[in-house]
Amino acid sequence: MAEQMSDDEGQQSPPSDLDFTSNKARTCIVTGSVSGHTEFQSPYPDQVLENVLENVLHFLTSRRDRNTASLVCKSWYRVEALTRSELFIGNCYAVSPARATARFTRVRALHLKGRPRFADFNLMPHGWGAHFNPWVLAFAKACPWLEKVYLKRMSVTDDDLATLAESFLGFKELVLFCCDGFGTSGLANFVSKCRQLKVLDLIESEVSDDETDWILCFPEGESHLESLIFDCVECPINFEALERLVARSPSLKKLRLNRYVSIGQLYRLMVQAPQLTHLGTGSFSPSEIAGQGDQEPDYVTSFAACKSLVCLSGFREIIPDYLPAIYPICANLTSLNFSYANITAEQLKPIISNCHKLQVFWVLDSICDEGLQAVAATCKELRELRVFPVDAREDSDGPVSEVGFQAISEGCRKLQSILYFCQRMTNAAVIAMSRNCPDLVVFRLCIMGRHRPDHVTGEPMDDGFGAIVMNCKKLTRLAVSGLLTDKAFDYIGRYGKLVRTLSVAFAGDSDMALKYVLEGCPQLQKLEIRDSPFGDAALCSGLHHYYNMRFLWMSSCRLTHQGCQQIAHAMPRLVVEVIRSADEEEMDVCDQTLYMYRSLEGPRNDAPKFVTIL
């Protein structure tokens, strides 16, 4: 997205978009003639085009539209790069930092992704790569006006954070999602030097406890903070320093606390910041050191005073007796996250019955089908639902089933995204979802337990998933599970024409299943497969499409070393990595992981010993 140049005093600005010497040079060229008279000539046609393009492309915000514009011709390619202020790179190994900074010279915001998603499930050994260090060093030299960095599944060190703070004087936003490698001492150094910091969001990241008081290191005086998220930080914080920081941050809108913040401390923070729109409550239970004779604050009043609050999360060590405190704000909520709150349907009902504006709801399956029925009865504006398991074991007795699933489809017909963990499901319920919620863009049904059929009929779940791809014409992301034959993948190949991300686990009969998908889904970008019976023939069926994909992941399938090598020889611009467990010297290829991705640079130079690049 094009962003305005910062007016902050002393901040370095990027070079002008095009290398013209002056504004006059953009409208005319002055030359001398033989007679001594000055002649005015029109500018070169290419210059006129670039002037117009420069002004037009500033308003082109979609990165896909920008990518398309850059392919028109060399002139468009050049001007598009010079006017791009936000750079998104979906795989940090797809392009080198040097190439990125050479082409995009005015970048103010960098979005960078590292490890693939299956790394979240311990399917990738620690130390695989995705280091931020070469990127921050390259941007420090080429783009000192960088203001925002968003990293996902990257390894970030304390030194990287120091480089960020010291190299970019106007740095404003840092978001670390599922990142690791840094600690509280690195955070302390970073926040102490970033005086214009507006956003520090640490989301599902691993932060080591260096016993450093990082909250205390924020600069004194009025803070520019607009968002502070640290609910993933698993160590105590200096609450007095946090309270002072919140008090001197009048622009703070988003605050998500970790489990070491008690409900009594939450009350004190809410008194200081009634302007909050997004709140993560911390533990939502009293401190262990609170005196038994102490009078508890009026939590109901404190929540009622936060009239702008629309997004509520946290509840990490919840005591349900305190839930009535949030009743006053339920009517305004558009997002509610109970994914850490082990509550029952009876505890949920008084809350959800007032959430008529709710659009996003994350919850544990402890609310059972009865709780989901209550959601369906009230939340008619719901767009996104995620139901997570309290007990993720395959042999557990799941408290939610097709009953709650079908209730949601009948009551929440504006649903666009669903992630649903369960132990039991039926084709009939999935077919009903496809008909009742045709606007679904994301459908992820995770039937825990391998090869589970329709628990009523005993049939495979083929028809249910087939109905989803047939009836949900906007579907771009699909995760399949349960007992599935090749027939389900035939459906996906025939009707999933917009599917960009497909996740498969314990599914399929033969190589034909994968062949249906690779030959039938022209928009496929990310394909994740584990524990499925796909071999070399299935892998080779995608030769025509792999250059158009961001990556392919296959773990515990039926591949051979020869099949993987064949792909590497046939597609030299594809990086083919074979990953084994870090503690295993040799493994059968069937037990290893194949990770393939396109790259302009070829094989990376930081691969650990357990990675073989073919």
Side-chain angles (χ1 to χ4, degrees):
M1 179 184 293
E3 295 177 354
Q4 292 184 347
M5 308 273 271
S6 174
D7 293 325
D8 296 324
E9 247 182 72
Q11 183 175 334
Q12 212 165 353
S13 294
S16 59
D17 294 339
L18 301 173
D19 297 327
F20 294 111
T21 56
S22 69
N23 288 333
K24 289 184 179 180
R26 298 183 180 221
T27 55
C28 65
I29 298 175
V30 183
T31 63
S33 68
V34 176
S35 61
H37 295 292
T38 301
E39 293 183 358
F40 292 88
Q41 297 180 358
S42 298
Y44 296 115
D46 284 351
Q47 288 183 339
V48 175
L49 173 62
E50 290 189 352
N51 293 341
V52 173
L53 278 177
E54 178 187 3
N55 292 318
V56 170
L57 290 179
H58 274 301
F59 297 97
L60 197 61
T61 58
S62 165
R63 64 174 183 264
R64 290 178 187 165
D65 290 344
R66 278 186 162 273
N67 290 343
T68 301
S70 71
L71 298 176
V72 172
C73 62
K74 288 183 179 180
S75 181
W76 283 56
Y77 176 90
R78 175 173 176 266
V79 178
E80 189 284 316
L82 291 170
T83 56
R84 188 181 294 217
S85 59
E86 280 201 25
L87 178 60
F88 173 88
I89 298 174
N91 179 356
C92 65
Y93 290 120
V95 63
S96 69
R99 187 189 293 263
T101 53
R103 179 182 172 190
F104 301 102
T105 58
R106 292 191 64 246
V107 172
R108 288 183 177 272
L110 173 65
H111 299 248
L112 188 61
K113 292 186 177 183
R115 297 178 292 271
R117 190 184 68 92
F118 269 19
D120 295 349
F121 305 100
N122 297 319
L123 295 177
M124 178 175 279
H126 181 74
W128 173 81
H131 303 290
F132 180 50
N133 182 257
W135 289 92
V136 69
L137 293 179
F139 273 83
K141 292 180 181 178
C143 299
W145 39 83
L146 193 70
E147 295 178 347
K148 177 180 178 180
V149 170
Y150 177 103
L151 303 178
K152 189 171 185 179
R153 300 189 184 95
M154 298 285 292
S155 291
V156 183
T157 66
D158 289 346
D159 289 341
D160 296 337
L161 294 178
T163 303
L164 266 182
E166 294 164 2
S167 303
F168 309 106
L169 300 182
F171 196 79
K172 292 181 174 66
E173 299 186 21
L174 177 63
V175 179
L176 302 178
F177 185 92
C178 289
C179 294
D180 57 19
F182 63 99
T184 53
S185 58
L187 288 176
N189 186 29
F190 174 77
V191 300
S192 68
K193 296 177 180 178
C194 292
R195 295 187 169 273
Q196 298 183 40
L197 193 65
K198 292 183 177 181
V199 174
L200 177 59
D201 292 351
L202 310 174
I203 305 170
E204 298 182 30
S205 293
E206 295 181 18
V207 184
S208 61
D209 182 6
D210 304 328
E211 298 184 352
T212 303
D213 190 350
W214 64 281
I215 294 287
L216 187 62
C217 293
F218 278 89
E220 293 296 328
E222 184 169 299
S223 166
H224 299 281
L225 271 180
E226 297 175 2
S227 177
L228 178 60
I229 296 175
F230 62 95
D231 50 355
C232 63
V233 179
E234 289 295 328
C235 58
I237 52 103
N238 182 336
F239 177 75
E240 286 70 25
L242 176 62
E243 187 175 26
R244 292 194 300 270
L245 175 63
V246 169
R248 64 177 190 271
S249 303
S251 300
L252 190 65
K253 299 295 185 182
K254 299 180 181 180
L255 178 64
R256 280 164 49 179
L257 309 164
N258 69 2
R259 66 186 181 89
Y260 292 92
V261 178
S262 69
I263 191 170
Q265 293 170 327
L266 173 66
Y267 170 83
R268 290 165 58 179
L269 294 175
M270 294 177 69
V271 170
Q272 297 284 359
Q275 77 278 4
L276 289 174
T277 59
H278 295 63
L279 176 64
T281 65
S283 70
F284 216 68
S285 59
S287 170
E288 293 180 359
I289 60 174
Q292 292 186 352
D294 295 344
Q295 182 176 359
E296 289 203 271
D298 186 350
Y299 300 121
V300 174
T301 301
S302 66
F303 273 97
C306 294
K307 300 185 181 300
S308 300
L309 207 56
V310 294
C311 180
L312 193 60
S313 62
F315 309 100
R316 291 191 169 240
E317 294 177 359
I318 187 171
I319 292 182
D321 290 346
Y322 289 96
L323 280 176
I326 70 173
Y327 290 176
I329 61 167
C330 290
N332 290 329
L333 290 179
T334 59
S335 177
L336 178 60
N337 185 344
F338 274 152
S339 61
Y340 289 95
N342 193 345
I343 60 174
T344 66
E346 290 306 315
Q347 293 160 346
L348 174 69
K349 286 179 182 179
I351 297 170
I352 210 68
S353 63
N354 292 304
C355 295
H356 297 281
K357 296 181 181 179
L358 202 64
Q359 296 185 19
V360 178
F361 185 46
W362 294 15
V363 69
L364 291 176
D365 60 9
S366 58
I367 66 168
C368 304
D369 289 330
E370 183 182 354
L372 292 174
Q373 289 169 330
V375 173
T378 301
C379 306
K380 303 302 180 182
E381 299 298 318
L382 197 66
R383 302 298 197 275
E384 177 182 336
L385 174 67
R386 299 192 186 189
V387 181
F388 300 95
V390 172
D391 184 353
R393 293 176 302 175
E394 293 184 17
D395 57 352
S396 64
D397 294 325
V400 297
S401 68
E402 78 282 356
V403 175
F405 186 84
Q406 184 154 346
I408 289 292
S409 76
E410 293 172 354
C412 307
R413 300 197 174 220
K414 296 182 181 180
L415 200 65
Q416 297 175 357
S417 175
I418 184 167
L419 170 61
Y420 196 86
F421 284 86
C422 63
Q423 293 284 1
R424 305 180 307 281
M425 186 52 61
T426 64
N427 281 302
V430 179
I431 293 170
M433 173 71 72
S434 75
R435 291 171 177 166
N436 294 330
C437 304
D439 291 333
L440 278 171
V441 176
V442 175
F443 184 81
R444 293 190 286 169
L445 175 59
C446 301
I447 305 172
M448 295 181 291
R450 307 181 185 191
H451 313 296
R452 295 253 174 118
D454 180 316
H455 84 94
V456 173
T457 66
E459 295 293 318
M461 292 295 299
D462 299 338
D463 291 341
F465 284 101
I468 290 292
V469 291
M470 278 191 279
N471 297 329
C472 303
K473 306 296 186 183
K474 302 175 183 178
L475 194 72
T476 63
R477 184 173 183 180
L478 175 65
V480 300
S481 57
L483 178 61
L484 294 175
T485 70
D486 291 351
K487 180 181 177 183
F489 295 90
D490 183 26
Y491 283 133
I492 295 171
R494 277 195 284 160
Y495 301 104
K497 300 305 179 183
L498 296 183
V499 171
R500 296 176 60 85
T501 302
L502 176 63
S503 302
V504 180
F506 307 102
D509 292 327
S510 69
D511 289 340
M512 282 303 299
L514 187 54
K515 186 176 181 181
Y516 288 138
V517 170
L518 290 170
E519 293 182 353
C521 300
Q523 300 297 322
L524 193 63
Q525 288 282 304
K526 294 179 281 187
L527 179 55
E528 307 166 329
I529 305 171
R530 60 167 297 189
D531 298 277
S532 297
F534 306 144
D536 294 347
L539 181 64
C540 291
S541 68
L543 283 171
H544 67 288
H545 188 60
Y546 290 141
Y547 278 147
N548 296 324
M549 292 176 59
R550 187 182 298 175
F551 70 79
L552 166 67
W553 170 287
M554 296 180 71
S555 61
S556 299
C557 294
R558 296 179 180 174
L559 303 176
T560 67
H561 184 82
Q562 182 180 1
C564 297
Q565 193 74 57
Q566 183 179 350
I567 295 292
H569 282 306
M571 310 195 76
R573 295 198 309 275
L574 207 65
V575 177
V576 181
E577 296 191 5
V578 177
I579 307 168
R580 64 179 183 274
S581 297
D583 56 352
E584 295 284 347
E585 289 297 326
E586 295 293 337
M587 294 176 63
D588 186 80
V589 176
C590 292
D591 297 323
Q592 297 179 3
T593 294
L594 172 70
Y595 180 46
M596 299 193 322
Y597 53 90
R598 62 191 180 196
S599 175
L600 296 175
E601 311 302 333
R604 58 190 175 112
N605 57 13
D606 64 348
K609 292 182 179 180
F610 55 79
V611 172
T612 301
I613 299 180
L614 303 179

